[in-house]
Amino acid sequence: MSRTIISTNNAPTAIGPYSQAVRAGNTVYFSGQIPLDPATGSLVEGDISTQTRRVFNNLVAVAETAGGSLAQIVRVGIYVTDLANFAAVNAVMGEYFQQPYPARSTIEVSGLPKGAQVEVDAVMVLD
């Protein structure tokens, strides 16, 4: 099976040895996105809602580059440094997704790259 690397300047460049996303067949696997501004590569300032919006905007950019949209996301993994922020992250996710919602896990972690409060990865299936 061949792999196609997905890359866009509208989302932050990888900060390690990985791709923004990889397409295998009709499935696109997104690397985790943290709230980096794609223009500066810096962590956005602001509360958890601001950071989460930046993460989902980054995911939108990668999805569009892959030829899809968030409507085709089938699974989302959310990693937060404090589960007390769950309701705020959940509310922002509701701004980006409509029913039927993707499957999702939300996991509290001890730390994320660059001091981010939230990271999201995803899997998208293209029609």
Side-chain angles (χ1 to χ4, degrees), residues 1-50:
M1 174 183 347
S2 66
R3 298 182 310 158
T4 302
I5 303 304
I6 308 301
S7 180
T8 177
N9 291 330
N10 295 324
T13 58
I15 58 174
Y18 60 90
S19 301
Q20 290 171 330
V22 176
R23 180 176 176 169
N26 287 341
T27 305
V28 179
Y29 300 90
F30 294 73
S31 292
Q33 285 287 331
I34 60 174
L36 296 179
D37 181 319
T40 66
S42 298
L43 193 69
V44 298
E45 294 187 24
D47 63 9
I48 188 68
S49 296
T50 301

Side-chain angles (χ1 to χ4, degrees), residues 10-11 52-62 96:
N10 295 324
T52 304
R53 281 187 191 90
R54 178 73 263 161
V55 167
F56 281 114
N57 287 337
N58 292 342
L59 289 172
V60 166
V62 176
Y96 288 84

Side-chain angles (χ1 to χ4, degrees), residues 42-116:
S42 298
L43 193 69
V44 298
E45 294 187 24
D47 63 9
I48 188 68
S49 296
T50 301
Q51 287 200 7
T52 304
R53 281 187 191 90
R54 178 73 263 161
V55 167
F56 281 114
N57 287 337
N58 292 342
L59 289 172
V60 166
V62 176
E64 289 174 349
T65 299
S69 71
L70 293 189
Q72 293 163 295
I73 298 284
V74 296
R75 186 196 175 282
V76 173
I78 299 176
Y79 309 91
V80 294
T81 56
D82 186 349
L83 275 176
N85 290 324
F86 177 79
V89 171
N90 202 45
V92 173
M93 183 176 168
E95 297 172 13
Y96 288 84
F97 289 89
Q98 298 177 353
Q99 291 188 18
Y101 298 117
R104 181 183 79 186
S105 59
T106 303
I107 301 166
E108 182 178 72
V109 296
S110 63
L112 291 168
K114 298 197 176 240

